[in-house]
Amino acid sequence: MKKLIIAAAAILALGSATQAQETVRIATEGAYAPWNFLNDAGEPAGFEIDLGNAICAQAALTCEWITNDWDSIIPNLLAGNYDVIMAGMSITDERLETIDFSDNYFPPDPSKFVAAAGAGIDPSALEGKRVGVQGGTIQAAYAEENLGTANTVVSFGTADQAMADLAAGNLDTILADGAYLEPVVTASSGALEFVGEDVMIGNGVGAGLRKDEAELRAKIDDALTALKADGTVDKLIAQWFEGRGPYFAE
């Protein structure tokens, strides 16, 4: 009888602990493969979704995924519509004035220029060209500052929209994350090529949080530390970004 009482108490305690798990609402764009995208069922998928779920499991949190357009993703975080952003967002000094970030889960990655193969585009001497970027990104800021005077910088709501305009001949080149562009260029079967020198911008990719969420940030950072050490983060990077890593496991 005593054993039955102990067992019942353990089950009740486990149930209470499960119910007490904190629910964390994570926003992603759902339009930036392989970082994040919507699968055939219309559900968020990709590197950051797998990593976010692993973080929640490690930290004993319950994940709830929300999709949000890129251009309003920070304002809606600040408005309290969700708790965390995981959307291929680079850590920058400018963004740190408004929000906080977890430790990075992808190291600083070069941004690259891509153009139609044989177009003769030289990013170091662009003049009178149309340069595509996704609005609100580190590449958009770089292009406006460094290329905007002599060229037309065209901003798009998503990176895929910019790629579609390049394919249609409406742009001369695009500047975007190398990790995003590499599979696109490979899949183009020679129609697209990288041009010019890589550009290093940002301090890696991390999870964005409001500045008053120090406790949640600590939980995420602790989980990331464990997942880096046991090889989980590197395994997911290798799965979603062919030929990348390892970066974190010793």
Side-chain angles (χ1 to χ4, degrees), residues 58-112:
Q58 179 70 33
L61 301 169
T62 298
C63 279
E64 178 183 321
W65 288 95
I66 297 168
T67 55
N68 193 98
D69 290 344
W70 173 260
D71 61 0
S72 62
I73 205 163
I74 289 179
N76 277 327
L77 172 72
L78 297 176
N81 294 329
Y82 34 77
D83 311 299
V84 180
I85 296 171
M86 292 185 70
M89 182 173 285
S90 295
I91 302 165
T92 66
D93 291 340
E94 181 181 4
R95 287 176 179 148
L96 283 167
E97 294 176 3
T98 305
I99 64 173
D100 208 349
F101 279 94
S102 70
D103 293 338
N104 73 40
Y105 49 75
F106 199 95
D109 187 53
S111 297
K112 295 176 179 286

Side-chain angles (χ1 to χ4, degrees), residues 79-166:
N81 294 329
Y82 34 77
D83 311 299
V84 180
I85 296 171
M86 292 185 70
M89 182 173 285
S90 295
I91 302 165
T92 66
D93 291 340
E94 181 181 4
R95 287 176 179 148
L96 283 167
E97 294 176 3
T98 305
I99 64 173
D100 208 349
F101 279 94
S102 70
D103 293 338
N104 73 40
Y105 49 75
F106 199 95
D109 187 53
S111 297
K112 295 176 179 286
F113 289 94
V114 66
I121 298 298
D122 180 4
S124 68
L126 287 181
E127 186 172 350
K129 303 298 184 183
R130 290 173 62 83
V131 181
V133 293
Q134 182 177 10
T137 62
I138 54 176
Q139 292 82 18
Y142 176 90
E144 289 288 357
E145 181 177 349
N146 295 278
L147 305 171
T149 300
N151 303 278
T152 301
V153 177
V154 185
S155 294
F156 294 84
T158 70
D160 287 349
Q161 289 170 350
M163 291 304 307
D165 247 31
L166 179 65

Side-chain angles (χ1 to χ4, degrees), residues 31 38 80 101 162 176 178 214-215 228 232 235:
L38 298 181
F101 279 94
E215 184 178 347
K228 288 176 180 179
T232 298
K235 180 179 179 181

